[in-house]
């Protein structure tokens, strides 16, 4: 059996990669990918603690998180399509005119 510390280390690394991508990229698609990495890091934690404690509560929350991620991607892709149609680019710094 793999110790839970390895899962936590993997989760922390994936979360840090997601934070780094979120803070350094300007492309909206890479924003979405970074948020997905952060959500998957949370899922790794939930499943690891579910395995550690021997119940399925963490796995149940992981299913809800995956549904949330699917909804987030659907809305995000819609926003990216509008961004591309209006500005011919998916750079988020060009979209300041879309604000009210």
């Amino acid at each position: 059996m793999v110790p839970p510390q390895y899962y936590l280390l993997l989760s922390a690394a994936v979360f840090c990669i997601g934070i780094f991508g979120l803070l350094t990229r300007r492309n909206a698609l890479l924003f979405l990918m970074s948020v997905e990495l952060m959500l998957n890091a949370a899922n790794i934690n939930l499943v690891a603690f579910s395995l550690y404690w021997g119940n399925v509560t963490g796995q149940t929350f992981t299913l809800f998180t995956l549904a949330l991620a699917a909804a987030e991607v659907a809305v995000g892709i819609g926003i990216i399509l509008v961004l591309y149609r209006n500005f011919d680019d998916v750079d988020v710094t060009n979209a300041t005119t879309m604000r009210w």
Side-chain angles (χ1 to χ4, degrees):
M1 184 168 155
V2 179
Q5 292 87 2
Y6 294 143
Y7 292 116
L8 296 177
L9 185 63
L10 174 67
S11 175
V14 171
F15 191 82
C16 287
I17 291 169
I19 287 287
F20 178 75
L22 195 67
L23 294 176
T24 59
R25 304 293 181 194
R26 289 197 230 171
N27 191 337
L29 287 173
L30 294 178
F31 272 11
L32 280 177
M33 288 173 52
S34 298
V35 170
E36 289 295 322
L37 280 174
M38 292 171 18
L39 285 173
N40 283 332
N43 288 339
I44 292 170
N45 272 336
L46 289 170
V47 170
F49 284 118
S50 174
L51 177 69
Y52 181 73
W53 292 107
N55 59 13
V56 294
T57 307
Q59 295 172 10
T60 306
F61 281 119
T62 299
L63 288 175
F64 287 121
T65 308
L66 288 174
L68 175 76
E72 177 254 333
V73 166
V75 171
I77 292 294
I79 292 171
I80 289 171
L81 286 174
V82 168
L83 187 67
Y84 184 74
R85 283 183 189 166
N86 290 338
F87 298 103
D88 294 329
D89 194 15
V90 289
D91 189 5
V92 293
T93 58
N94 294 337
T96 56
T97 59
M98 288 182 72
R99 289 189 246 163
W100 286 93

